[in-house]
Amino acid sequence: MKITQKIARAEKENRVWWSFEYFPPRTTQGLQNLLDRIERMRGLGPEFVDITWNAGGRTSDLSSELVKTCQGVIGIETCMHLTCTNMPANKVDIALREAKLSGCRNILALRGDPPVGQDEWTAVEGGFVHGIDLVRHIRKHYDDYFDIAVAGFPQQVLDPPEVLAQELQWLKEKCDAGVDFIFTQMFYDADVFTRWVKALRAAGINVPIVPGIAPIQTWNGFMRATSLAKISIPQSFMDVLEPHKNDDERVRAIGTKLVADMCRTILESDLGIRGLHFYTMNLEKGTKMLLQELALVPRIETVKPLPGGSLSLRADAPRQYADLLGKSAQELPQPHGELGRVPQRPAYGELDGYGVNIKQTREEAHALWGNPEDLSDIARLFSRFCSGDLKALPWSDLPPSAEMKIITAPLAKLNALGFLTINSQPAVNGANSTDKVHGWGPAGGYVYQKAYLEFFVSPELSEHLIPAIERDPLLTYYAINRRGDLRTNSKTDGPNAVTWGVFPGKEIVQPTIVEAVSFMAWKDEAFELGVQWSQMYEPGSPSRALIENMMDKFLLVNVVHNDFKQPDAIFESFLRIGKEHGLKVDVAVPSKAKAVLVAEAPEVAY
């Protein structure tokens, strides 16, 4: 059934409806977990689900498979995202044909982001330049078989009047070309959304508008998402959330009430909107809490599945899909160190995908990172970031966290020696869960961490470092190159918990782990970000050649020191090997800060 038909029926019955969005995971296990979750969340009563399409089409095959499974096997109405990025017309036609064969009747047509390394949009040969071209193509070849949606951005109402007028004109042209309804980007300001909807109606845009609702899961995720998407946050949100930023359970509970109040304001307004579209981030709890807070009663409708379906994955299912959700897939409270990219996905910013991308434009990248010509220039950039003198790196969207600042001095030294760190956390021995730097989870608990480093290193330097690591029984490591050749001294394939917490009345919580499968999956994205950085520079330029060579030859390594009572021990081998064989880069290294909180008694000593 078309989504507009579902919306019309809900309006006739005078009831509120809701829907969920999911994105393709990156391992077979992650895919199985997601299918189980989608089937379980069907019990929450969504009218439909929609499946994202990664910008550039890197997960396009999996998106199509997910659409087929949701529509034809699980039996829930499905909408498929489709972008123009790196998608010639013949690939678009294949995707549309497969969607139709699976019974899917709904498409979200998006232009997508500019290809990597480009600030301006350029179409792939034989592809489409604008989202409206994709809309026209679908209408031309499929008439009214598909409902077609496009993206809308409430934040645009804060733009200068002439800019808003131009955006509304382009949106109206899409609607006139055959768009049936609009999904909005996430927002947290009901007033901004209301003004934007009224501006659309005044411009003659009368198709249904579906507000995009993003549950607030954690403080870090909330801040990252709003920063990347350039979303305004009402001061009232900040006033009540920020005092609890180290307690993810409290943030989620307060955030649920805030977002629910926003939803009520929209549903009770005179806008005529009776539906909510939840950006789940492939997680269940946040969305479920919102529905419960809104007292929305599930109304389950199942479409007739296609014959012969099964939820079990084929034995030869693709192995390249990396489940980078890590332990966040179990919806545990997340710590606030720099060990963020492996267990936590970058937060939702755009409507058209969740793939890793450098967020800076070419101009911004050049302003931040200049034009490095040798490895010393690269090491200097990394060291400056660790020292707080550089606000971002390709692997780090946000400035160093308060926890990372605990180990600023040794990190800056390591980077100056040629160990280019992209993730790190200090050892922590029983910090109070309410501690402003290390704390997380509910009050009354204690948190622990093993020291962790993840970094790029040249093959020449690694030849000296890895034997030294292997001689230390307390150090475990994984090292991998871009081709996927893995080396490790770990004696088990299972996970190594590097962060855990003990809380009253709860089991021990282990939100952050290190394991081979997740590391190998993250490897693809880590090297991809480096490649994207190189493409910020002109072909043949020294900077591009330098970074491309690094990504081709360097190793990505992670190291865990397994005794959390020895806060400085993880750095010893690096400093010794680096002094003998590393780079000699002059950088301003901050004075050393104590690297750990030690708590032998309930009171924490600094």
Side-chain angles (χ1 to χ4, degrees):
M1 180 183 289
K2 293 182 177 180
I3 289 173
T4 51
Q5 293 173 326
K6 285 181 164 286
I7 294 174
R9 186 172 66 182
E11 289 178 351
K12 184 177 180 181
E13 297 171 358
N14 192 30
R15 60 178 173 82
V16 176
W17 60 269
W18 52 94
S19 54
F20 302 152
E21 178 178 285
Y22 304 100
F23 62 86
R26 294 173 176 267
T27 62
T28 52
Q29 183 59 55
L31 180 56
Q32 184 67 68
N33 291 342
L34 177 59
L35 291 173
D36 293 342
R37 179 157 292 162
I38 291 173
E39 187 168 30
R40 187 168 64 249
M41 289 180 71
R42 181 176 58 174
L44 298 177
E47 286 288 325
F48 62 89
V49 300
D50 80 324
I51 307 298
T52 69
W53 188 280
N54 184 270
R58 289 190 297 119
T59 61
S60 56
D61 290 343
L62 186 53
S63 294
S64 293
E65 289 298 320
L66 268 175
V67 169
K68 291 178 185 177
T69 301
C70 290
Q71 185 78 40
V73 179
I74 296 178
I76 185 169
E77 206 67 56
T78 306
C79 176
M80 183 178 76
H81 291 211
L82 190 58
T83 73
C84 301
T85 306
N86 293 338
M87 288 288 289
N90 66 310
K91 284 191 176 182
V92 168
D93 288 334
I94 291 171
L96 291 170
R97 183 167 62 250
E98 291 183 353
K100 183 177 180 179
L101 288 172
S102 71
C104 174
R105 301 292 303 273
N106 306 284
I107 302 293
L108 173 55
L110 301 156
R111 188 194 72 172
D113 294 329
V116 174
Q118 298 182 17
D119 296 338
E120 301 297 328
W121 178 264
T122 56
V124 66
E125 184 178 353
F128 305 104
V129 178
H130 302 289
I132 192 173
D133 300 325
L134 181 55
V135 172
R136 289 169 175 158
H137 180 83
I138 296 171
R139 280 286 172 252
K140 178 180 178 181
H141 293 279
Y142 288 89
D143 196 26
D144 65 349
Y145 178 83
F146 291 109
D147 255 6
I148 303 176
V150 292
F153 301 89
Q155 196 74 14
Q156 290 173 347
V157 78
L158 302 180
D159 290 338
E162 63 276 11
V163 175
L164 174 61
Q166 179 62 77
E167 295 291 346
L168 293 179
Q169 178 184 332
W170 287 333
L171 185 55
K172 188 174 189 308
E173 289 173 358
K174 291 179 184 177
C175 293
D176 292 343
V179 165
D180 297 290
F181 65 101
I182 297 168
F183 281 117
T184 80
Q185 186 186 42
M186 69 172 190
F187 59 91
Y188 292 102
D189 193 323
D191 180 65
V192 165
F193 176 76
T194 298
R195 289 165 54 195
W196 179 76
V197 172
K198 291 182 176 179
L200 263 64
R201 299 311 189 210
I205 299 172
N206 298 311
V207 300
I209 296 171
V210 182
I213 307 300
I216 297 176
Q217 308 276 4
T218 67
W219 171 260
N220 278 0
F222 174 61
M223 296 306 295
R224 182 184 294 273
T226 52
S227 172
L228 296 181
K230 297 180 172 61
I231 299 298
S232 61
I233 306 173
Q235 188 58 45
S236 59
F237 276 48
M238 298 297 290
D239 289 344
V240 294
L241 287 171
E242 191 165 14
H244 304 282
K245 63 183 181 181
N246 290 329
D247 185 344
D248 285 341
E249 288 191 12
R250 286 288 293 153
V251 167
R252 180 149 47 187
I254 295 169
T256 295
K257 292 186 180 297
L258 291 172
V259 176
D261 286 343
M262 180 187 73
C263 293
R264 290 189 192 97
T265 299
I266 293 169
L267 295 172
E268 294 169 3
S269 70
D270 60 356
L271 298 175
I273 290 174
R274 303 287 290 163
L276 304 168
H277 185 60
F278 292 98
Y279 296 126
T280 70
M281 288 300 296
N282 287 7
L283 301 177
E284 179 179 358
K285 190 171 184 179
T287 299
K288 185 176 182 178
M289 288 174 65
L290 265 175
L291 290 172
Q292 291 172 337
E293 181 69 22
L294 290 165
L296 294 177
V297 179
R299 175 185 177 277
I300 304 171
E301 179 184 52
T302 303
V303 298
K304 184 178 180 181
L306 297 177
S310 171
L311 287 180
S312 299
L313 298 179
R314 300 188 307 271
D316 61 346
R319 294 284 301 178
Q320 69 266 31
Y321 305 120
D323 184 9
L324 297 181
L325 289 170
K327 281 296 182 184
S328 69
Q330 296 183 16
E331 305 193 22
L332 300 170
Q334 294 296 323
H336 305 288
E338 287 302 296
L339 192 64
R341 275 200 179 271
V342 176
Q344 293 180 308
R345 289 287 296 171
Y348 188 83
E350 300 81 30
L351 278 172
D352 58 346
Y354 295 81
V356 293
N357 284 288
I358 291 180
K359 302 305 176 184
Q360 290 77 14
T361 65
R362 178 173 294 183
E363 181 178 323
E364 291 169 340
H366 287 197
L368 272 172
W369 307 315
N371 295 274
E373 296 185 356
D374 57 34
L375 190 54
S376 294
D377 292 338
I378 299 288
R380 195 170 286 109
L381 289 174
F382 277 74
S383 187
R384 285 178 56 205
F385 176 78
C386 293
S387 300
D389 188 39
L390 188 65
K391 67 179 183 180
L393 287 173
W395 295 269
S396 302
D397 302 323
L398 301 176
S401 68
E403 184 172 74
M404 180 178 170
K405 292 176 182 177
I406 298 293
I407 50 175
T408 286
L411 283 179
K413 288 181 181 178
L414 259 60
N415 281 278
L417 293 170
F419 305 104
L420 308 177
T421 60
I422 60 174
N423 278 320
S424 61
Q425 70 176 30
V428 175
N429 181 17
N432 195 291
S433 60
T434 58
D435 181 78
K436 292 183 179 180
V437 175
H438 300 288
W440 54 274
Y446 295 91
V447 298
Y448 301 82
Q449 292 180 175
K450 298 175 183 177
Y452 174 92
L453 294 171
E454 182 178 337
F455 53 94
F456 288 106
V457 64
S458 69
E460 295 79 14
L461 193 51
S462 71
E463 288 179 0
H464 300 283
L465 176 68
I466 289 179
I469 292 175
E470 291 177 335
R471 287 192 293 270
D472 189 331
L474 291 175
L475 291 176
T476 52
Y477 78 93
Y478 292 95
I480 195 167
N481 58 21
R482 189 177 175 188
R483 295 188 303 274
D485 302 320
L486 180 68
R487 180 176 175 180
T488 182
N489 67 342
S490 177
K491 301 298 191 294
T492 175
D493 293 332
N496 181 1
V498 294
T499 302
W500 64 99
V502 182
F503 305 98
K506 295 179 177 290
E507 294 181 354
I508 292 177
V509 179
Q510 300 177 9
T512 313
I513 63 170
V514 172
E515 62 177 347
V517 64
S518 295
F519 182 62
M520 293 178 70
W522 160 238
K523 174 267 300 183
D524 293 334
E525 301 208 353
F527 281 101
E528 170 67 16
L529 285 167
V531 171
Q532 290 182 19
W533 182 19
S534 74
Q535 292 172 349
M536 294 291 179
Y537 301 96
E538 293 297 326
S541 66
S543 296
R544 183 159 183 166
L546 170 66
I547 300 169
E548 286 179 340
N549 184 64
M550 284 177 53
M551 294 300 101
D552 286 340
K553 294 183 179 179
F554 275 38
L555 299 177
L556 178 66
V557 182
N558 72 45
V559 176
V560 177
H561 194 284
N562 290 285
D563 186 348
F564 55 88
K565 292 185 177 182
Q566 298 186 41
D568 298 321
I570 192 170
F571 301 109
E572 293 172 358
S573 295
F574 290 86
L575 295 175
R576 184 178 67 255
I577 297 300
K579 184 177 181 180
E580 297 175 5
H581 305 285
L583 299 174
K584 302 297 185 288
V585 178
D586 292 327
V587 295
V589 177
S591 59
K592 183 178 180 181
K594 192 167 184 178
V596 69
L597 297 180
V598 180
E600 300 299 338
E603 287 295 320
V604 178
Y606 285 86

